[in-house]
Amino acid sequence: MNTNIIKALDSNLLTLEFDKIISTLTEYAVSDSAKEQLSSLRPYLREDDARRKMEETTEGRKLYDYLGNPPLSTMQNLKDILLLCEQDGVLLPEQLTIIIQFITSCKRLKRYLERGNDLQLTLTSYAYSIDTLDALYEELNKSIYNNQVDDSASTDLRNIRRKIENSQVTIKQKLESLLRSKREYFTDSYVSTRNGHSVLPVKKEYKHQVSGSVIDMSATGSTYFIEPTIVSKLQEEISTLRIMEDNEIRKILYILTSFVTDSIEALRTNMEVMTSLDVIFAKAKLSADLDAHEVTITTNHTIRIEEGRHPLLNQSECVPLTFHMDENTTGIVITGPNTGGKTVALKTVGLLSTMAQCGLHIPAKNTSVIAMHNMVLCDIGDGQSITHNLSTFSSHITNVIHIIQEASVESLVLLDELGSGTDPAEGMGIAISILEELRSIPCRFIATTHYPEVKEYVAQTEGLINARMAFDRESLRPLYQLIIGEAGESCALYIAKRLGLPDHMLNIARHYAYKEKTVNELPQKQMNQTPRTNNSSPLVKTKPKNQDKTKAKTYHIGDSVIVYPQKILGIVYEPHPTNQGEIGVQIRGKKQLINHKRIKLKTPATELYPADYDFSILFDSVELRKTRHQTNRMYRKNTTVNID
């Protein structure tokens, strides 16, 4: 588990094990930049944002299912390479190879997106933002091969290397000739290389018979490696040529680096597009892995999970959860036997709500509805601890106090084993007081408990509903199914009887368990208090808009439009599309032709300008408007000019 993810998440998300979802997402991502973005993924508080991200995941899933894994790039060290260019550094062949590989990935990704045009997805419009950098690619690909500057990089480099090669062949021929003619002088019959020099292995007793420079000696001293005088001049020529080769390589690398620097903005834009798509496809891969679906997100207080499965459990063995909580329900209290799945049900609701609000698909039917919350507050224990002492109780109460202080009308509170860990009578009273306080906020809450008095309190209180986990009385096994509207039983006496506990012991147990059981009159709080708010960021509900029912994409001069994927504003100056489907849009004072698929109407011109507005003020220069004005002044209707 990534410790950085754990540190960044708050305790509530850790309790819900959202960190494991984040960890899985980062494993699906290819690039470090995408992993970093996914690590900081948190629930969106704007309804527009949550829905937009959910739609992105849906389109990513459709494209992933249709075309398979996208050709994304790791972009390893690419950011540092571009920074080096900006600092007037010179790139090495290995770094230029990384640039080549990245451009290749961009070309493949663009083709991948274009192949998905048949699906008519907004996501495929990212292809228009990918620059294939053909000129740069051609220069780099011609000059760099196998992490080295290739001979084809320049004519001078090719000639220098040819001369070096010819000189090396000549040296080898002369040395081999000497080896053949004076075999008795040498310990071996082949040419060796020592310290960059071509040498002959001369026996110690013949070292004065071979004219040349001693370059090295064997460990025993019996062999001298001598560079004969007959090749020394050629060796010096090679050394000079090597210097010329290095100079030419540096010159080529400098030129290639300048080409990269000239394209740095396009490369950065491609990196941003690659990262955005990497994030979207990581979410799509998680959706496919969980067999998850897009669900409806709303700011109305409605939660409807249809056959939801906890994403961290074995999906084939997990019993689906169906959970409904409408706008008129403030809280649901779940009762039932231990190991019946109450805690899993709590975590499932909390985790699926968090995932959906992050724009992720959830493993539930697509008819499910998830309400947005400004936070999910949890006090969930494992419910299996043997020791329920004061420290455990104190920990729970500390958490509950914090939750009550933080919760607002837009919060979802999850409480497990409410009032446990202390005297049953006092625990029951504390449990009911906590539920009363949560009602007064009023926040939405789901709680689990064993206390029968709490079940009776819920049954008598408006806005609260009992629920239970189903239990098979025949097999004495939990069914892990939530039934809303019915209070559960611990089933302890029934299980004890089925397992053979004597009747007289059961009668005693029943007497002491139920003889003092009464339904207490509880003071009801006035529920017409002003809903509590807090300092946390409020949810922002999408304002309903009058949707245009027409499907035809028609624009008019002066329409304000959004250009994707950069999401920048522009004004239509030429509404009639070209043969290529391009619309004339003025962006920041510059006229451009933009593909109609990348344009979305923001505000029609009729809402921005009066009916007789002169659009030449927006689109024409002052000089052009003056010229047009002068021309109009000189025009005389029904006037004929005679030319002799």
Side-chain angles (χ1 to χ4, degrees):
M1 185 66 62
N2 190 328
T3 55
N4 293 329
I5 295 176
I6 294 177
K7 290 177 182 177
L9 289 173
D10 64 40
S11 58
N12 294 295
L13 295 180
L14 285 174
T15 300
L16 294 173
E17 299 181 283
F18 185 64
D19 57 306
K20 295 181 180 178
I21 300 296
I22 293 292
S23 179
T24 303
L25 274 173
T26 57
E27 290 175 3
Y28 284 129
V30 174
S31 63
D32 289 339
S33 54
K35 293 177 188 289
E36 185 177 347
Q37 285 192 23
L38 290 168
S39 296
S40 60
L41 182 64
R42 299 294 180 272
Y44 296 98
L45 297 181
R46 293 184 62 89
E47 188 177 9
D48 277 345
D49 292 339
R51 286 181 174 177
R52 178 167 50 83
K53 293 299 181 180
M54 179 74 77
E55 289 170 3
E56 281 184 354
T57 304
T58 299
E59 292 200 349
R61 173 71 187 277
K62 288 179 180 178
L63 206 54
Y64 178 76
D65 290 343
Y66 183 63
L67 295 176
N69 211 24
L72 298 166
S73 169
T74 61
M75 297 186 285
Q76 191 73 30
N77 301 321
L78 195 56
K79 188 182 295 184
D80 294 335
I81 291 173
L82 298 186
L83 182 61
L84 181 61
C85 289
E86 289 183 325
Q87 296 172 345
D88 296 329
V90 177
L91 300 182
L92 299 175
E94 296 86 352
Q95 295 169 319
L96 292 169
T97 299
I98 292 175
I99 298 290
I100 294 172
Q101 292 170 347
F102 176 65
I103 297 176
T104 301
S105 295
C106 291
K107 290 175 178 290
R108 291 173 179 170
L109 184 59
K110 188 179 182 77
R111 289 195 295 269
Y112 177 91
L113 295 172
E114 289 171 345
R115 284 167 56 204
N117 282 336
D118 293 342
L119 299 179
Q120 297 183 346
L121 304 175
T122 303
L123 190 64
T124 58
S125 65
Y126 274 95
Y128 297 111
S129 298
I130 298 176
D131 192 334
T132 54
L133 297 165
D134 294 329
L136 176 61
Y137 179 80
E138 185 178 350
E139 286 293 334
L140 296 180
N141 202 44
K142 177 187 71 174
S143 304
I144 304 296
Y145 182 74
N146 277 348
N147 289 331
Q148 293 181 343
V149 178
D150 194 64
D151 294 354
S152 59
S154 75
T155 304
D156 289 344
L157 182 62
R158 184 187 296 108
N159 292 336
I160 291 169
R161 286 180 172 173
R162 185 180 293 116
K163 289 178 181 178
I164 292 173
E165 185 179 352
N166 291 337
S167 296
Q168 288 174 333
V169 170
T170 302
I171 288 174
K172 185 177 181 182
Q173 289 174 345
K174 290 188 175 185
L175 293 179
E176 287 178 346
S177 174
L178 186 57
L179 274 173
R180 289 193 297 270
S181 62
K182 304 290 184 180
R183 291 183 180 178
E184 66 275 12
Y185 291 178
F186 308 108
T187 58
D188 292 304
S189 59
Y190 56 84
V191 178
S192 301
T193 301
R194 288 290 188 277
N195 301 327
H197 295 264
S198 296
V199 296
L200 295 177
V202 181
K203 296 177 182 178
K204 181 179 179 180
E205 57 270 24
Y206 293 106
K207 66 177 180 177
H208 297 296
Q209 305 300 320
V210 179
S211 176
S213 303
V214 177
I215 304 301
D216 199 4
M217 291 177 58
S218 65
T220 60
S222 60
T223 302
Y224 285 67
F225 296 96
I226 298 175
E227 181 184 69
T229 305
I230 58 174
V231 297
S232 295
K233 186 176 181 181
L234 288 172
Q235 192 65 56
E236 290 175 1
E237 289 179 4
I238 289 177
S239 298
T240 302
L241 289 170
R242 290 292 186 194
I243 295 173
M244 294 173 63
E245 180 188 26
D246 289 341
N247 290 337
E248 183 64 19
I249 288 174
R250 276 194 286 270
K251 175 184 173 183
I252 293 168
L253 293 177
Y254 179 82
I255 294 172
L256 294 177
T257 301
S258 68
F259 290 158
V260 174
T261 304
D262 291 341
S263 302
I264 201 165
E265 290 305 320
L267 287 167
R268 284 216 168 98
T269 299
N270 285 359
M271 289 176 66
E272 291 174 5
V273 173
M274 188 75 71
T275 299
S276 298
L277 291 171
D278 197 358
V279 169
I280 292 171
F281 281 113
K283 297 176 183 178
K285 293 171 188 175
L286 177 67
S287 171
D289 186 45
L290 295 176
D291 191 21
H293 301 92
E294 176 184 357
V295 296
T296 301
I297 299 175
T298 179
T299 50
N300 298 328
H301 290 173
T302 300
I303 301 176
R304 186 171 69 248
I305 297 174
E306 303 284 354
E307 296 187 11
R309 291 163 282 121
H310 195 288
L312 301 178
L313 297 179
N314 188 318
Q315 299 296 290
S316 61
E317 299 177 1
C318 177
V319 178
L321 171 72
T322 296
F323 179 89
H324 294 174
M325 190 174 189
D326 59 31
E327 293 184 77
N328 299 321
T329 303
T330 303
I332 293 178
V333 178
I334 306 172
T335 49
N338 283 334
T339 70
K342 298 191 300 297
T343 302
V344 174
L346 271 186
K347 285 190 172 184
T348 300
V349 174
L351 185 54
L352 295 189
S353 297
T354 301
M355 289 175 63
Q357 203 165 325
C358 288
L360 300 174
H361 287 179
I362 63 173
K365 284 189 173 181
N366 58 8
T367 53
S368 301
V369 178
I370 298 295
M372 294 184 67
H373 303 95
N374 65 346
M375 61 180 74
V376 179
L377 300 165
C378 309
D379 178 48
I380 300 177
D382 58 16
Q384 306 298 320
S385 177
I386 297 175
T387 306
H388 292 278
N389 53 26
L390 181 61
S391 62
T392 302
F393 175 74
S394 299
S395 175
H396 281 295
I397 291 300
T398 300
N399 288 339
V400 169
I401 291 172
H402 173 73
I403 288 172
I404 290 173
Q405 291 172 344
E406 292 290 322
S408 73
V409 68
E410 295 175 335
S411 303
L412 175 64
V413 175
L414 306 175
L415 301 174
D416 192 25
E417 300 296 343
L418 196 58
S420 63
T422 188
D423 176 78
E426 294 182 354
M428 176 271 297
I430 290 173
I432 293 176
S433 70
I434 292 171
L435 296 181
E436 274 290 289
E437 186 64 24
L438 294 175
R439 287 182 67 230
S440 70
I441 293 176
C443 64
R444 317 298 298 289
F445 62 85
I446 309 169
T448 69
T449 187
H450 283 295
Y451 296 121
E453 293 84 357
V454 175
K455 292 183 284 186
E456 294 176 7
Y457 157 76
V458 171
Q460 298 173 7
T461 305
E462 183 180 357
L464 301 188
I465 297 178
N466 275 309
R468 68 180 178 88
M469 302 304 299
F471 185 82
D472 188 347
R473 287 177 171 267
E474 295 300 322
S475 64
L476 302 183
R477 298 180 63 181
L479 299 177
Y480 303 106
Q481 295 175 346
L482 181 66
I483 301 175
I484 296 177
E486 299 180 14
E489 301 176 0
S490 67
C491 301
L493 295 179
Y494 178 80
I495 293 173
K497 181 178 181 180
R498 286 288 305 272
L499 294 177
L501 191 71
D503 288 342
H504 71 280
M505 294 180 66
L506 289 170
N507 292 333
I508 294 173
R510 190 175 291 106
H511 170 73
Y512 281 100
Y514 296 110
K515 70 174 182 177
E516 297 179 353
K517 178 180 174 184
T518 59
V519 179
N520 298 320
E521 292 289 325
L522 293 170
Q524 297 294 317
K525 286 196 174 185
Q526 297 295 326
M527 299 308 295
N528 57 356
Q529 301 178 40
T530 302
R532 184 193 299 182
T533 59
N534 57 13
N535 295 326
S536 62
S537 301
L539 296 174
V540 182
K541 184 172 182 177
T542 302
K543 294 181 179 179
K545 298 179 180 178
N546 294 325
Q547 295 184 352
D548 185 6
K549 299 298 182 179
T550 61
K551 294 184 178 180
K553 290 187 177 180
T554 57
Y555 299 97
H556 301 86
I557 293 178
D559 284 349
S560 176
V561 295
I562 302 174
V563 179
Y564 288 88
Q566 296 89 348
K567 297 178 184 174
I568 55 179
L569 292 177
I571 301 175
V572 174
Y573 72 86
E574 176 51 66
H576 302 293
T578 65
N579 293 334
Q580 289 76 33
E582 295 174 326
I583 302 292
V585 180
Q586 180 168 291
I587 302 173
R588 297 170 184 169
K590 184 179 179 181
K591 292 184 173 66
Q592 301 181 37
L593 291 177
I594 307 294
N595 190 284
H596 70 92
K597 292 183 180 179
R598 296 176 54 198
I599 301 173
K600 181 179 179 181
L601 179 65
K602 183 177 186 294
T603 309
T606 54
E607 297 181 13
L608 295 174
Y609 311 100
D612 57 348
Y613 186 76
D614 183 9
F615 286 104
S616 66
I617 296 174
L618 295 177
F619 304 127
D620 296 342
S621 64
V622 175
E623 292 76 8
L624 181 58
R625 284 190 284 117
K626 283 183 178 180
T627 302
R628 186 183 295 113
H629 180 67
Q630 291 293 337
T631 303
N632 291 337
R633 286 180 58 193
M634 296 173 62
Y635 174 72
R636 297 291 184 271
K637 188 175 181 180
N638 299 325
T639 300
T640 302
V641 178
N642 294 322
I643 302 176
D644 295 333

